[in-house]
Short mmCIF file of all heavy atoms in Angstrom, two decimals:
data_model
loop_
_atom_site.label_atom_id
_atom_site.label_comp_id
_atom_site.label_asym_id
_atom_site.label_seq_id
_atom_site.Cartn_x
_atom_site.Cartn_y
_atom_site.Cartn_z
N LYS A 1 10.25 -7.61 5.62
CA LYS A 1 10.18 -8.98 5.15
C LYS A 1 9.27 -9.76 6.09
O LYS A 1 9.44 -9.74 7.29
CB LYS A 1 11.59 -9.56 5.10
CG LYS A 1 11.65 -10.87 4.39
CD LYS A 1 13.10 -11.26 4.16
CE LYS A 1 13.11 -12.52 3.38
NZ LYS A 1 14.42 -12.90 2.94
N GLU A 2 8.31 -10.43 5.54
CA GLU A 2 7.34 -11.19 6.32
C GLU A 2 7.05 -12.50 5.59
O GLU A 2 6.92 -12.51 4.38
CB GLU A 2 6.05 -10.38 6.47
CG GLU A 2 5.01 -10.98 7.35
CD GLU A 2 5.41 -11.04 8.81
OE1 GLU A 2 6.08 -10.10 9.27
OE2 GLU A 2 5.06 -12.01 9.47
N ASN A 3 6.95 -13.58 6.32
CA ASN A 3 6.65 -14.88 5.72
C ASN A 3 7.64 -15.29 4.64
O ASN A 3 7.27 -15.86 3.63
CB ASN A 3 5.23 -14.90 5.15
CG ASN A 3 4.19 -14.65 6.21
OD1 ASN A 3 4.35 -15.06 7.34
ND2 ASN A 3 3.13 -13.98 5.84
N ASN A 4 8.92 -14.95 4.86
CA ASN A 4 9.99 -15.28 3.91
C ASN A 4 9.76 -14.70 2.52
O ASN A 4 10.25 -15.22 1.54
CB ASN A 4 10.20 -16.80 3.82
CG ASN A 4 10.67 -17.37 5.14
OD1 ASN A 4 11.46 -16.75 5.83
ND2 ASN A 4 10.15 -18.52 5.48
N LYS A 5 8.99 -13.64 2.43
CA LYS A 5 8.78 -12.95 1.16
C LYS A 5 9.57 -11.66 1.17
O LYS A 5 9.66 -10.99 2.20
CB LYS A 5 7.30 -12.62 0.94
CG LYS A 5 6.41 -13.81 0.77
CD LYS A 5 4.98 -13.35 0.59
CE LYS A 5 4.01 -14.49 0.58
NZ LYS A 5 2.62 -14.03 0.51
N LYS A 6 10.14 -11.31 0.05
CA LYS A 6 10.84 -10.05 -0.05
C LYS A 6 9.82 -8.92 -0.15
O LYS A 6 8.84 -9.03 -0.88
CB LYS A 6 11.74 -10.07 -1.29
CG LYS A 6 12.62 -8.87 -1.38
CD LYS A 6 13.59 -8.98 -2.53
CE LYS A 6 14.46 -7.75 -2.55
NZ LYS A 6 15.43 -7.80 -3.61
N SER A 7 10.06 -7.85 0.59
CA SER A 7 9.17 -6.70 0.54
C SER A 7 9.27 -6.02 -0.82
O SER A 7 10.35 -5.95 -1.41
CB SER A 7 9.53 -5.69 1.62
OG SER A 7 9.36 -6.26 2.88
N LEU A 8 8.16 -5.53 -1.30
CA LEU A 8 8.13 -4.81 -2.56
C LEU A 8 8.13 -3.32 -2.26
O LEU A 8 7.26 -2.83 -1.56
CB LEU A 8 6.88 -5.18 -3.36
CG LEU A 8 6.66 -4.41 -4.65
CD1 LEU A 8 7.80 -4.69 -5.63
CD2 LEU A 8 5.33 -4.79 -5.27
N ILE A 9 9.13 -2.67 -2.76
CA ILE A 9 9.22 -1.22 -2.59
C ILE A 9 9.21 -0.62 -3.98
O ILE A 9 10.05 -0.95 -4.82
CB ILE A 9 10.49 -0.81 -1.83
CG1 ILE A 9 10.49 -1.44 -0.43
CG2 ILE A 9 10.60 0.71 -1.76
CD1 ILE A 9 11.77 -1.24 0.33
N LYS A 10 8.23 0.22 -4.21
CA LYS A 10 8.17 0.86 -5.53
C LYS A 10 7.54 2.23 -5.38
O LYS A 10 6.86 2.52 -4.40
CB LYS A 10 7.39 0.02 -6.52
CG LYS A 10 5.91 -0.12 -6.21
CD LYS A 10 5.22 -0.97 -7.27
CE LYS A 10 3.74 -1.03 -7.02
NZ LYS A 10 3.04 -1.73 -8.09
N GLU A 11 7.82 3.05 -6.34
CA GLU A 11 7.23 4.38 -6.36
C GLU A 11 6.10 4.35 -7.37
O GLU A 11 6.27 3.90 -8.50
CB GLU A 11 8.29 5.41 -6.77
CG GLU A 11 7.80 6.82 -6.64
CD GLU A 11 8.90 7.82 -6.89
OE1 GLU A 11 10.03 7.57 -6.46
OE2 GLU A 11 8.62 8.82 -7.53
N ASP A 12 4.94 4.80 -6.94
CA ASP A 12 3.78 4.70 -7.80
C ASP A 12 2.77 5.76 -7.39
O ASP A 12 2.76 6.21 -6.25
CB ASP A 12 3.15 3.31 -7.62
CG ASP A 12 2.30 2.89 -8.80
OD1 ASP A 12 2.07 3.71 -9.70
OD2 ASP A 12 1.86 1.73 -8.81
N HIS A 13 1.93 6.15 -8.30
CA HIS A 13 0.83 7.04 -7.95
C HIS A 13 -0.28 6.18 -7.38
O HIS A 13 -0.81 5.32 -8.06
CB HIS A 13 0.33 7.81 -9.16
CG HIS A 13 -0.91 8.59 -8.86
ND1 HIS A 13 -0.86 9.74 -8.11
CD2 HIS A 13 -2.21 8.37 -9.14
CE1 HIS A 13 -2.11 10.20 -7.96
NE2 HIS A 13 -2.93 9.37 -8.59
N ILE A 14 -0.62 6.38 -6.12
CA ILE A 14 -1.60 5.53 -5.47
C ILE A 14 -2.91 6.26 -5.19
O ILE A 14 -3.96 5.80 -5.56
CB ILE A 14 -1.04 4.97 -4.15
CG1 ILE A 14 0.26 4.19 -4.38
CG2 ILE A 14 -2.06 4.08 -3.47
CD1 ILE A 14 0.12 2.95 -5.22
N THR A 15 -2.83 7.40 -4.54
CA THR A 15 -4.06 8.08 -4.17
C THR A 15 -3.95 9.58 -4.40
O THR A 15 -2.87 10.15 -4.38
CB THR A 15 -4.39 7.87 -2.67
OG1 THR A 15 -3.39 8.50 -1.89
CG2 THR A 15 -4.47 6.40 -2.32
N VAL A 16 -5.08 10.19 -4.56
CA VAL A 16 -5.15 11.65 -4.70
C VAL A 16 -4.68 12.30 -3.40
O VAL A 16 -3.96 13.30 -3.43
CB VAL A 16 -6.60 12.08 -5.04
CG1 VAL A 16 -6.73 13.59 -5.00
CG2 VAL A 16 -7.01 11.52 -6.39
N GLU A 17 -5.05 11.72 -2.26
CA GLU A 17 -4.70 12.31 -0.97
C GLU A 17 -3.19 12.41 -0.79
O GLU A 17 -2.67 13.41 -0.30
CB GLU A 17 -5.31 11.50 0.18
CG GLU A 17 -6.82 11.53 0.23
CD GLU A 17 -7.48 10.51 -0.70
OE1 GLU A 17 -6.78 9.79 -1.44
OE2 GLU A 17 -8.73 10.46 -0.70
N VAL A 18 -2.47 11.36 -1.17
CA VAL A 18 -1.02 11.37 -1.02
C VAL A 18 -0.41 12.45 -1.90
O VAL A 18 0.47 13.19 -1.48
CB VAL A 18 -0.42 9.98 -1.35
CG1 VAL A 18 1.08 10.04 -1.41
CG2 VAL A 18 -0.86 8.98 -0.29
N GLY A 19 -0.87 12.54 -3.12
CA GLY A 19 -0.39 13.59 -4.01
C GLY A 19 -0.63 14.97 -3.44
O GLY A 19 0.23 15.85 -3.52
N PHE A 20 -1.78 15.17 -2.84
CA PHE A 20 -2.12 16.45 -2.22
C PHE A 20 -1.16 16.76 -1.08
O PHE A 20 -0.63 17.86 -0.98
CB PHE A 20 -3.56 16.42 -1.70
CG PHE A 20 -3.97 17.66 -0.96
CD1 PHE A 20 -4.34 18.80 -1.64
CD2 PHE A 20 -3.97 17.67 0.43
CE1 PHE A 20 -4.70 19.95 -0.96
CE2 PHE A 20 -4.34 18.81 1.12
CZ PHE A 20 -4.69 19.96 0.42
N LEU A 21 -0.91 15.77 -0.21
CA LEU A 21 0.01 15.97 0.91
C LEU A 21 1.43 16.27 0.44
O LEU A 21 2.11 17.13 0.99
CB LEU A 21 0.01 14.75 1.83
CG LEU A 21 -1.26 14.51 2.63
CD1 LEU A 21 -1.19 13.15 3.33
CD2 LEU A 21 -1.48 15.62 3.64
N GLN A 22 1.87 15.56 -0.60
CA GLN A 22 3.22 15.79 -1.10
C GLN A 22 3.35 17.16 -1.74
O GLN A 22 4.42 17.76 -1.69
CB GLN A 22 3.61 14.69 -2.08
CG GLN A 22 3.94 13.39 -1.38
CD GLN A 22 4.34 12.29 -2.33
OE1 GLN A 22 3.81 12.19 -3.43
NE2 GLN A 22 5.25 11.45 -1.91
N GLU A 23 2.31 17.67 -2.33
CA GLU A 23 2.35 19.02 -2.89
C GLU A 23 2.49 20.06 -1.78
O GLU A 23 3.18 21.05 -1.94
CB GLU A 23 1.08 19.31 -3.69
CG GLU A 23 1.07 18.70 -5.05
CD GLU A 23 -0.20 19.04 -5.82
OE1 GLU A 23 -0.97 19.93 -5.38
OE2 GLU A 23 -0.43 18.41 -6.86
N LYS A 24 1.82 19.83 -0.66
CA LYS A 24 1.83 20.79 0.45
C LYS A 24 3.13 20.75 1.25
O LYS A 24 3.56 21.74 1.79
CB LYS A 24 0.65 20.53 1.39
CG LYS A 24 -0.70 20.70 0.73
CD LYS A 24 -0.91 22.11 0.25
CE LYS A 24 -2.24 22.26 -0.44
NZ LYS A 24 -2.38 23.53 -1.11
N LYS A 25 3.72 19.58 1.36
CA LYS A 25 4.95 19.41 2.15
C LYS A 25 5.93 18.57 1.34
O LYS A 25 5.92 17.34 1.41
CB LYS A 25 4.64 18.77 3.49
CG LYS A 25 5.81 18.68 4.41
CD LYS A 25 5.40 18.82 5.85
CE LYS A 25 6.54 18.64 6.82
NZ LYS A 25 7.61 19.59 6.71
N LYS A 26 6.76 19.23 0.57
CA LYS A 26 7.65 18.56 -0.39
C LYS A 26 8.60 17.54 0.24
O LYS A 26 8.93 16.55 -0.38
CB LYS A 26 8.47 19.60 -1.16
CG LYS A 26 7.64 20.59 -1.94
CD LYS A 26 7.09 19.98 -3.19
CE LYS A 26 6.40 21.06 -4.01
NZ LYS A 26 5.36 20.56 -4.84
N ASP A 27 9.04 17.78 1.47
CA ASP A 27 10.01 16.88 2.10
C ASP A 27 9.35 15.75 2.90
O ASP A 27 10.03 14.98 3.57
CB ASP A 27 10.97 17.66 3.00
CG ASP A 27 10.25 18.38 4.13
OD1 ASP A 27 9.04 18.62 4.03
OD2 ASP A 27 10.93 18.70 5.13
N LEU A 28 8.05 15.62 2.81
CA LEU A 28 7.31 14.59 3.53
C LEU A 28 7.55 13.23 2.90
O LEU A 28 7.40 13.05 1.69
CB LEU A 28 5.81 14.91 3.51
CG LEU A 28 4.90 13.99 4.30
CD1 LEU A 28 5.21 14.06 5.79
CD2 LEU A 28 3.44 14.38 4.07
N GLU A 29 7.96 12.27 3.72
CA GLU A 29 8.12 10.90 3.25
C GLU A 29 6.86 10.12 3.60
O GLU A 29 6.39 10.19 4.72
CB GLU A 29 9.34 10.24 3.89
CG GLU A 29 10.64 10.84 3.43
CD GLU A 29 11.84 10.11 3.98
OE1 GLU A 29 11.77 8.87 4.11
OE2 GLU A 29 12.83 10.78 4.28
N ILE A 30 6.31 9.42 2.64
CA ILE A 30 5.03 8.73 2.83
C ILE A 30 5.19 7.27 2.45
O ILE A 30 5.80 6.94 1.43
CB ILE A 30 3.94 9.37 1.95
CG1 ILE A 30 3.73 10.83 2.35
CG2 ILE A 30 2.64 8.59 2.05
CD1 ILE A 30 2.80 11.59 1.45
N ALA A 31 4.64 6.41 3.29
CA ALA A 31 4.60 4.98 2.98
C ALA A 31 3.14 4.58 2.89
O ALA A 31 2.33 4.93 3.74
CB ALA A 31 5.29 4.17 4.07
N ILE A 32 2.80 3.87 1.84
CA ILE A 32 1.43 3.40 1.65
C ILE A 32 1.45 1.88 1.74
O ILE A 32 2.23 1.23 1.07
CB ILE A 32 0.87 3.85 0.30
CG1 ILE A 32 0.82 5.36 0.24
CG2 ILE A 32 -0.51 3.24 0.06
CD1 ILE A 32 0.45 5.90 -1.11
N ILE A 33 0.61 1.36 2.59
CA ILE A 33 0.48 -0.08 2.74
C ILE A 33 -0.87 -0.44 2.14
O ILE A 33 -1.92 -0.04 2.65
CB ILE A 33 0.54 -0.47 4.23
CG1 ILE A 33 1.86 0.00 4.81
CG2 ILE A 33 0.33 -1.96 4.40
CD1 ILE A 33 1.89 0.07 6.30
N ALA A 34 -0.82 -1.18 1.04
CA ALA A 34 -2.06 -1.44 0.32
C ALA A 34 -1.96 -2.73 -0.48
O ALA A 34 -0.87 -3.16 -0.83
CB ALA A 34 -2.35 -0.28 -0.64
N PRO A 35 -3.10 -3.32 -0.78
CA PRO A 35 -3.09 -4.49 -1.66
C PRO A 35 -2.70 -4.08 -3.08
O PRO A 35 -2.67 -2.90 -3.42
CB PRO A 35 -4.53 -4.99 -1.59
CG PRO A 35 -5.34 -3.83 -1.17
CD PRO A 35 -4.44 -2.96 -0.35
N GLU A 36 -2.42 -5.06 -3.89
CA GLU A 36 -2.03 -4.83 -5.28
C GLU A 36 -3.25 -4.47 -6.11
O GLU A 36 -4.19 -5.26 -6.24
CB GLU A 36 -1.36 -6.08 -5.83
CG GLU A 36 -0.92 -5.94 -7.26
CD GLU A 36 -0.33 -7.22 -7.82
OE1 GLU A 36 -0.14 -8.20 -7.07
OE2 GLU A 36 -0.10 -7.24 -9.03
N ILE A 37 -3.22 -3.29 -6.69
CA ILE A 37 -4.31 -2.81 -7.54
C ILE A 37 -3.72 -2.50 -8.91
O ILE A 37 -2.69 -1.83 -9.01
CB ILE A 37 -4.98 -1.56 -6.95
CG1 ILE A 37 -5.60 -1.88 -5.58
CG2 ILE A 37 -6.03 -0.99 -7.91
CD1 ILE A 37 -6.10 -0.69 -4.83
N LYS A 38 -4.37 -2.97 -9.94
CA LYS A 38 -3.92 -2.68 -11.30
C LYS A 38 -4.99 -1.88 -12.03
O LYS A 38 -6.18 -2.08 -11.81
CB LYS A 38 -3.64 -3.98 -12.05
CG LYS A 38 -2.47 -4.73 -11.46
CD LYS A 38 -2.05 -5.85 -12.36
CE LYS A 38 -0.83 -6.51 -11.72
NZ LYS A 38 -0.17 -7.40 -12.63
N TYR A 39 -4.54 -1.01 -12.88
CA TYR A 39 -5.43 -0.18 -13.72
C TYR A 39 -6.41 0.64 -12.88
O TYR A 39 -7.59 0.75 -13.22
CB TYR A 39 -6.19 -1.04 -14.73
CG TYR A 39 -5.32 -2.03 -15.47
CD1 TYR A 39 -5.45 -3.39 -15.26
CD2 TYR A 39 -4.35 -1.58 -16.37
CE1 TYR A 39 -4.65 -4.30 -15.92
CE2 TYR A 39 -3.54 -2.49 -17.04
CZ TYR A 39 -3.70 -3.85 -16.81
OH TYR A 39 -2.90 -4.74 -17.47
N ALA A 40 -5.92 1.20 -11.78
CA ALA A 40 -6.78 1.97 -10.87
C ALA A 40 -7.50 3.09 -11.61
O ALA A 40 -6.97 3.69 -12.53
CB ALA A 40 -5.95 2.55 -9.74
N HIS A 41 -8.71 3.35 -11.19
CA HIS A 41 -9.55 4.42 -11.72
C HIS A 41 -9.88 4.26 -13.20
O HIS A 41 -10.04 5.24 -13.92
CB HIS A 41 -8.92 5.79 -11.46
CG HIS A 41 -8.45 5.98 -10.06
ND1 HIS A 41 -9.31 5.96 -8.99
CD2 HIS A 41 -7.22 6.15 -9.54
CE1 HIS A 41 -8.63 6.14 -7.88
NE2 HIS A 41 -7.36 6.25 -8.18
N SER A 42 -9.94 3.01 -13.65
CA SER A 42 -10.32 2.77 -15.04
C SER A 42 -11.36 1.64 -15.07
O SER A 42 -11.61 1.00 -14.06
CB SER A 42 -9.11 2.35 -15.87
OG SER A 42 -8.77 1.00 -15.61
N THR A 43 -11.93 1.42 -16.21
CA THR A 43 -12.90 0.33 -16.33
C THR A 43 -12.24 -1.04 -16.24
O THR A 43 -12.93 -2.05 -16.09
CB THR A 43 -13.67 0.43 -17.66
OG1 THR A 43 -12.73 0.41 -18.74
CG2 THR A 43 -14.51 1.70 -17.71
N LYS A 44 -10.91 -1.08 -16.28
CA LYS A 44 -10.17 -2.35 -16.15
C LYS A 44 -9.63 -2.55 -14.73
O LYS A 44 -8.86 -3.48 -14.50
CB LYS A 44 -8.99 -2.37 -17.12
CG LYS A 44 -9.38 -2.42 -18.57
CD LYS A 44 -8.13 -2.50 -19.42
CE LYS A 44 -8.46 -2.61 -20.88
NZ LYS A 44 -7.25 -2.77 -21.70
N GLU A 45 -10.03 -1.69 -13.80
CA GLU A 45 -9.48 -1.77 -12.44
C GLU A 45 -9.66 -3.17 -11.86
O GLU A 45 -10.73 -3.76 -11.94
CB GLU A 45 -10.15 -0.74 -11.53
CG GLU A 45 -9.57 -0.74 -10.13
CD GLU A 45 -10.04 0.42 -9.29
OE1 GLU A 45 -10.49 1.44 -9.86
OE2 GLU A 45 -9.96 0.31 -8.06
N ARG A 46 -8.58 -3.69 -11.27
CA ARG A 46 -8.58 -5.02 -10.67
C ARG A 46 -7.79 -4.97 -9.37
O ARG A 46 -6.85 -4.20 -9.24
CB ARG A 46 -7.92 -6.05 -11.58
CG ARG A 46 -8.58 -6.22 -12.94
CD ARG A 46 -9.93 -6.92 -12.81
NE ARG A 46 -10.55 -7.16 -14.09
CZ ARG A 46 -11.42 -6.34 -14.67
NH1 ARG A 46 -11.77 -5.22 -14.10
NH2 ARG A 46 -11.95 -6.65 -15.83
N VAL A 47 -8.17 -5.83 -8.42
CA VAL A 47 -7.40 -5.98 -7.20
C VAL A 47 -7.05 -7.45 -7.01
O VAL A 47 -7.86 -8.33 -7.31
CB VAL A 47 -8.16 -5.44 -5.96
CG1 VAL A 47 -9.41 -6.23 -5.68
CG2 VAL A 47 -7.26 -5.42 -4.74
N ASN A 48 -5.84 -7.70 -6.58
CA ASN A 48 -5.41 -9.05 -6.28
C ASN A 48 -5.98 -9.40 -4.91
O ASN A 48 -5.54 -8.88 -3.90
CB ASN A 48 -3.87 -9.09 -6.27
CG ASN A 48 -3.32 -10.44 -5.92
OD1 ASN A 48 -3.93 -11.21 -5.17
ND2 ASN A 48 -2.15 -10.73 -6.43
N THR A 49 -6.99 -10.27 -4.89
CA THR A 49 -7.69 -10.55 -3.63
C THR A 49 -6.78 -11.19 -2.59
O THR A 49 -6.92 -10.92 -1.40
CB THR A 49 -8.94 -11.44 -3.86
OG1 THR A 49 -8.57 -12.60 -4.60
CG2 THR A 49 -10.01 -10.67 -4.61
N LYS A 50 -5.82 -12.00 -3.00
CA LYS A 50 -4.88 -12.57 -2.04
C LYS A 50 -4.05 -11.47 -1.39
O LYS A 50 -3.73 -11.52 -0.21
CB LYS A 50 -3.97 -13.60 -2.70
CG LYS A 50 -3.03 -14.26 -1.69
CD LYS A 50 -2.18 -15.31 -2.35
CE LYS A 50 -1.21 -15.97 -1.41
NZ LYS A 50 -0.58 -15.18 -0.40
N SER A 51 -3.73 -10.43 -2.15
CA SER A 51 -2.94 -9.33 -1.59
C SER A 51 -3.74 -8.56 -0.54
O SER A 51 -3.15 -7.96 0.37
CB SER A 51 -2.42 -8.40 -2.68
OG SER A 51 -3.44 -7.59 -3.21
N ILE A 52 -5.06 -8.57 -0.63
CA ILE A 52 -5.89 -7.94 0.40
C ILE A 52 -5.71 -8.70 1.72
O ILE A 52 -5.48 -8.10 2.78
CB ILE A 52 -7.38 -7.91 0.00
CG1 ILE A 52 -7.60 -7.02 -1.21
CG2 ILE A 52 -8.26 -7.46 1.18
CD1 ILE A 52 -8.99 -7.12 -1.81
N ILE A 53 -5.80 -10.01 1.65
CA ILE A 53 -5.65 -10.85 2.84
C ILE A 53 -4.25 -10.72 3.42
O ILE A 53 -4.07 -10.54 4.63
CB ILE A 53 -5.99 -12.32 2.50
CG1 ILE A 53 -7.46 -12.43 2.12
CG2 ILE A 53 -5.64 -13.25 3.66
CD1 ILE A 53 -7.83 -13.72 1.41
N ASP A 54 -3.23 -10.76 2.55
CA ASP A 54 -1.85 -10.63 3.01
C ASP A 54 -1.60 -9.28 3.67
O ASP A 54 -0.93 -9.19 4.70
CB ASP A 54 -0.87 -10.81 1.84
CG ASP A 54 -0.86 -12.23 1.29
OD1 ASP A 54 -1.37 -13.15 1.98
OD2 ASP A 54 -0.35 -12.42 0.17
N THR A 55 -2.14 -8.22 3.09
CA THR A 55 -1.99 -6.88 3.64
C THR A 55 -2.66 -6.78 5.01
O THR A 55 -2.09 -6.23 5.96
CB THR A 55 -2.57 -5.82 2.69
OG1 THR A 55 -1.89 -5.91 1.43
CG2 THR A 55 -2.42 -4.42 3.25
N GLU A 56 -3.86 -7.33 5.12
CA GLU A 56 -4.57 -7.31 6.40
C GLU A 56 -3.80 -8.06 7.48
O GLU A 56 -3.63 -7.57 8.60
CB GLU A 56 -5.96 -7.92 6.24
CG GLU A 56 -6.74 -7.95 7.55
CD GLU A 56 -8.07 -8.65 7.43
OE1 GLU A 56 -8.23 -9.52 6.55
OE2 GLU A 56 -8.94 -8.35 8.25
N LYS A 57 -3.28 -9.24 7.16
CA LYS A 57 -2.52 -10.03 8.13
C LYS A 57 -1.27 -9.29 8.58
O LYS A 57 -0.93 -9.26 9.76
CB LYS A 57 -2.15 -11.39 7.54
CG LYS A 57 -3.32 -12.34 7.43
CD LYS A 57 -2.88 -13.66 6.79
CE LYS A 57 -4.05 -14.60 6.62
NZ LYS A 57 -3.67 -15.84 5.94
N TRP A 58 -0.57 -8.71 7.62
CA TRP A 58 0.65 -7.97 7.95
C TRP A 58 0.33 -6.78 8.85
O TRP A 58 1.00 -6.57 9.86
CB TRP A 58 1.32 -7.49 6.66
CG TRP A 58 2.59 -6.73 6.92
CD1 TRP A 58 3.83 -7.25 7.06
CD2 TRP A 58 2.70 -5.32 7.09
NE1 TRP A 58 4.72 -6.24 7.30
CE2 TRP A 58 4.06 -5.05 7.33
CE3 TRP A 58 1.80 -4.25 7.05
CZ2 TRP A 58 4.54 -3.75 7.54
CZ3 TRP A 58 2.27 -2.98 7.27
CH2 TRP A 58 3.63 -2.73 7.50
N LEU A 59 -0.71 -6.05 8.51
CA LEU A 59 -1.08 -4.87 9.29
C LEU A 59 -1.53 -5.25 10.70
O LEU A 59 -1.17 -4.58 11.67
CB LEU A 59 -2.19 -4.09 8.56
CG LEU A 59 -2.52 -2.70 9.10
CD1 LEU A 59 -1.28 -1.83 9.22
CD2 LEU A 59 -3.57 -2.05 8.23
N GLU A 60 -2.25 -6.35 10.83
CA GLU A 60 -2.65 -6.83 12.15
C GLU A 60 -1.44 -7.16 13.01
O GLU A 60 -1.40 -6.83 14.20
CB GLU A 60 -3.54 -8.07 12.03
CG GLU A 60 -4.96 -7.75 11.62
CD GLU A 60 -5.81 -9.00 11.43
OE1 GLU A 60 -5.28 -10.14 11.48
OE2 GLU A 60 -7.02 -8.84 11.21
N LYS A 61 -0.43 -7.79 12.43
CA LYS A 61 0.80 -8.10 13.17
C LYS A 61 1.51 -6.85 13.64
O LYS A 61 1.97 -6.76 14.77
CB LYS A 61 1.73 -8.95 12.31
CG LYS A 61 1.29 -10.37 12.14
CD LYS A 61 2.28 -11.15 11.29
CE LYS A 61 1.77 -12.57 11.09
NZ LYS A 61 2.72 -13.36 10.29
N VAL A 62 1.59 -5.87 12.77
CA VAL A 62 2.25 -4.60 13.14
C VAL A 62 1.49 -3.93 14.27
O VAL A 62 2.09 -3.49 15.26
CB VAL A 62 2.36 -3.67 11.92
CG1 VAL A 62 2.81 -2.28 12.32
CG2 VAL A 62 3.31 -4.26 10.88
N ILE A 63 0.18 -3.85 14.15
CA ILE A 63 -0.63 -3.20 15.19
C ILE A 63 -0.49 -3.94 16.52
O ILE A 63 -0.33 -3.32 17.58
CB ILE A 63 -2.11 -3.11 14.75
CG1 ILE A 63 -2.24 -2.09 13.61
CG2 ILE A 63 -3.01 -2.73 15.93
CD1 ILE A 63 -3.58 -2.09 12.92
N ASN A 64 -0.53 -5.27 16.47
CA ASN A 64 -0.39 -6.05 17.70
C ASN A 64 0.97 -5.84 18.36
O ASN A 64 1.08 -5.81 19.59
CB ASN A 64 -0.63 -7.53 17.43
CG ASN A 64 -2.09 -7.83 17.18
OD1 ASN A 64 -2.98 -7.15 17.67
ND2 ASN A 64 -2.35 -8.87 16.40
N LYS A 65 2.03 -5.69 17.57
CA LYS A 65 3.36 -5.44 18.13
C LYS A 65 3.44 -4.07 18.78
O LYS A 65 4.20 -3.85 19.72
CB LYS A 65 4.42 -5.56 17.04
CG LYS A 65 4.70 -6.99 16.64
CD LYS A 65 5.76 -7.05 15.58
CE LYS A 65 6.00 -8.49 15.14
NZ LYS A 65 7.02 -8.60 14.10
N LEU A 66 2.67 -3.11 18.26
CA LEU A 66 2.72 -1.75 18.79
C LEU A 66 1.89 -1.58 20.07
O LEU A 66 2.08 -0.61 20.79
CB LEU A 66 2.20 -0.76 17.73
CG LEU A 66 3.08 -0.63 16.49
CD1 LEU A 66 2.38 0.25 15.46
CD2 LEU A 66 4.45 -0.07 16.84
N GLN A 67 1.02 -2.50 20.34
CA GLN A 67 0.14 -2.37 21.51
C GLN A 67 0.85 -2.79 22.78
O GLN A 67 1.71 -3.54 22.87
CB GLN A 67 -1.13 -3.20 21.34
CG GLN A 67 -1.99 -2.64 20.25
CD GLN A 67 -3.25 -3.46 20.02
OE1 GLN A 67 -3.39 -4.60 20.44
NE2 GLN A 67 -4.20 -2.87 19.32
#
């Protein structure tokens, strides 16, 4: 939870790489941190530009806490 927003947790097909890793190691748990993308890999593909900024800010905070 960040900025008083509830975290969104969902299961979704995101990338080919993740699918490849999950095929190789069935018990591997994977978390993907990414902006909101709709209709990926199609001519209607769209990204929520605000979600790009929000994702970047969140990731910067996490990295700074780990340093």
Side-chain angles (χ1 to χ4, degrees):
K1 191 170 183 172
E2 185 68 36
N3 299 325
N4 296 321
K5 294 179 187 176
K6 187 174 181 179
S7 297
L8 175 63
I9 299 173
K10 66 180 184 174
E11 187 173 322
D12 202 352
H13 172 74
I14 303 295
T15 66
V16 172
E17 294 83 358
V18 171
F20 176 80
L21 290 172
Q22 285 180 324
E23 282 181 12
K24 298 297 179 190
K25 185 147 176 62
K26 300 284 187 207
D27 61 339
L28 184 64
E29 292 185 36
I30 298 173
I32 298 173
I33 301 162
E36 180 183 353
I37 298 172
K38 294 191 177 193
Y39 313 112
H41 312 297
S42 77
T43 57
K44 293 182 178 184
E45 183 170 339
R46 300 289 183 267
V47 65
N48 178 330
T49 52
K50 183 177 178 323
S51 74
I52 294 170
I53 295 165
D54 292 345
T55 301
E56 179 185 26
K57 287 178 182 177
W58 180 87
L59 191 53
E60 283 177 353
K61 286 181 183 181
V62 170
I63 290 169
N64 288 331
K65 286 181 183 180
L66 294 173
Q67 292 178 344

